[in-house]
Amino acid sequence: SQALLIKLMEVGEGGTSSVHSVVEVLLQQGLASRKPKVVLNSINLVLDAAKSFGAGSLPIATVASSAPKILGHSNAKVREAGMNIIAEICRALGSKEPLQSVMETLKSAQMSQLDSLLEKQPDPTPPQVGLRNANDQTGPIGSPDDVLAALEAGAKEEAAKKLASRPAVNIFDLLPKTDYAAKLKQAKWSEKTGALDILINCGGEQPYKLVQPSPTVSYTELIRDLRKLLDHTHFAVNSKAMTAISMLAEGVGFKLFPNLRPMLLQLTGLFKDKKLTNAVGKCLDSIFGNVLGFDHLLDKADALPTALDERKQKNALARKS
C-alpha cells in the first residue's frame, strides 16, 4: 500500500499538488489515528515522499504546523521519522531559520539531534524518483528561494483555513459580563483605557473575527463612543481608542464602511499630534486594508484634501476636549 501511494503521487496529473493532497490526508487523518502502526506508517510515507520527490514538493506549511504533534508523539519511531522530515526540509530551505516556529517547540535534545543530522548531511537528498509531471506549473520545487516561497504561501493558506474554521466572536455577548461600561463612564483617563483594554480583549485572538452587522448586532453606538474618545485630552486614551477601532475594522471588514468612513477626517487630523502619529498610521492601515479603498482618502468632501487645506487646518487642535 505504501508503494501504491508513492506511485499515485508520482504519476498524479497535478505535479506537486498530487503530493500535497496525499500528504495532507496522511497528516490530518493518519496522525489522528489511535492505532500506533497507522501513525508510524503515515509519517514514514511522508518521509518517503520527501526522499522520493524532494522535500520542496511537500506541503511544507502543513508539515510545519503538524510538527509539534509528530515530534511530541509517544512513539519514538514516529518522533525519529518526524525529525528526519524536518531535517530534509531544512536542507531544502538552506537553513533552520524559516522553520523558526518549529524550532521553538523542540527540546534541547531534539535540537541537538537535528543539528547532528544537518551536520552529517548538509545538502538536500536528491529526489530518488521524481514526478512524472515535473514540467507542470505546480511541479517540483528546487531552489531554497522557491521552497521558502512555497512555505510562506502555504502558511498563509493554513492561516486562512484556520480563520475560516473559527467561530465569529460576538463582543456584545461578552461586554455586559465585564466592567467595560462602568469604567468607560469614569472621568479618569486610566479608567477609560482600562475599559478599552476590556473591549480589545473581548475581540479574542488575532487575526480578529467578529460577528457581522445584522438586525440584532449593531456597532453604531460602540463606534460612536470610540469617536468621542478620539477627542479626549489624553493621548493614551486616543491611542487605545484607535487600537479598538483597528480591531473592529479587521474583525468585521467592509460592512463597517458607513461607520468608519466619516472618521477619516478626524483620524487624519490626529496626525498633527506627534504622540499619536504611529497609532494613527496603524489605525488607518487597518481601515484601508479591510474597510475602505485608497480612493476614499482622496474624496473631495473628506479626508486628505480637507486635511491638507491650510485654511481649514490653521491652528486646528488635534485633541480638543
Side-chain angles (χ1 to χ4, degrees):
S1 59
Q2 289 180 303
L4 176 60
L5 284 174
I6 292 294
K7 179 59 70 174
L8 287 174
M9 288 187 268
E10 176 191 349
V11 302
E13 294 181 358
T16 53
S17 64
S18 299
V19 180
H20 288 194
S21 298
V22 174
V23 170
E24 286 171 356
V25 171
L26 291 171
L27 292 175
Q28 293 168 7
Q29 299 184 21
L31 192 56
S33 176
R34 295 182 180 180
K35 297 180 180 181
K37 285 186 177 180
V38 173
V39 177
L40 181 57
N41 288 337
S42 297
I43 300 307
N44 278 332
L45 263 170
V46 177
L47 179 58
D48 287 345
K51 292 181 177 179
S52 297
F53 314 115
S57 295
L58 298 178
I60 299 178
T62 303
V63 175
S65 64
S66 302
K69 191 172 183 179
I70 298 171
L71 300 175
H73 200 274
S74 58
N75 189 320
K77 291 183 178 180
V78 171
R79 296 197 301 272
E80 182 179 359
M83 188 61 70
N84 278 290
I85 294 169
I86 297 301
E88 286 292 344
I89 294 174
C90 289
R91 294 180 188 118
L93 290 167
S95 75
K96 298 182 295 183
E97 187 176 348
L99 291 182
Q100 187 59 38
S101 61
V102 176
M103 300 302 114
E104 292 172 353
T105 66
L106 298 182
K107 298 177 181 178
S108 57
Q110 290 178 315
M111 183 64 79
S112 297
Q113 181 186 1
L114 177 60
D115 288 338
S116 178
L117 288 170
L118 295 176
E119 184 178 353
K120 188 175 181 180
Q121 182 191 332
D123 298 323
T125 301
Q128 298 171 354
V129 179
L131 299 171
R132 293 280 182 88
N133 291 285
N135 294 324
D136 184 81
Q137 62 179 359
T138 56
I141 303 171
S143 73
D145 288 342
D146 285 340
V147 177
L148 181 58
L151 173 61
E152 293 173 346
K156 290 180 181 179
E157 185 178 347
E158 283 283 303
K161 288 180 180 178
K162 183 179 179 182
L163 180 62
S165 66
R166 272 171 42 198
V169 175
N170 189 338
I171 57 177
F172 301 107
D173 286 342
L174 301 175
L175 286 176
K177 302 174 185 178
T178 69
D179 295 330
Y180 170 75
K183 284 181 172 292
L184 194 64
K185 291 178 181 179
Q186 298 298 315
K188 293 181 64 176
W189 69 267
S190 57
E191 292 292 328
K192 293 187 183 298
T193 57
L196 291 168
D197 280 330
I198 292 173
L199 171 60
I200 294 166
N201 288 335
C202 284
E205 66 176 295
Q206 296 186 48
Y208 297 111
K209 184 177 181 180
L210 306 179
V211 292
Q212 294 294 304
S214 69
T216 58
V217 176
S218 173
Y219 290 89
T220 302
E221 185 175 347
L222 176 60
I223 292 176
R224 186 183 300 124
D225 289 339
L226 293 175
R227 288 195 67 178
K228 291 178 181 178
L229 293 177
L230 292 179
D231 285 333
H232 196 275
T233 55
H234 201 290
F235 75 93
V237 177
N238 310 141
S239 180
K240 192 72 71 172
M242 283 185 270
T243 301
I245 292 168
S246 295
M247 175 195 71
L248 296 178
E250 294 167 15
V252 179
F254 72 95
K255 286 192 176 181
L256 286 186
F257 175 88
N259 305 94
L260 297 185
R261 184 185 180 283
M263 199 180 292
L264 285 182
L265 179 58
Q266 189 175 10
L267 286 170
T268 53
L270 291 173
F271 262 127
K272 293 189 294 292
D273 192 323
K274 293 182 179 180
K275 292 183 178 180
L276 298 176
T277 301
N278 290 336
V280 174
K282 291 178 181 178
C283 187
L284 288 174
D285 281 346
S286 295
I287 293 175
F288 281 101
N290 298 276
V291 182
L292 306 177
F294 185 73
D295 55 321
H296 297 116
L297 191 63
L298 301 177
D299 193 303
K300 292 182 179 180
D302 208 348
L304 193 58
T306 304
L308 296 177
D309 190 328
E310 293 183 1
R311 292 172 299 175
K312 294 184 178 181
Q313 296 304 316
K314 187 177 181 181
N315 298 324
L317 298 176
R319 286 175 269 150
K320 296 176 284 189
S321 60

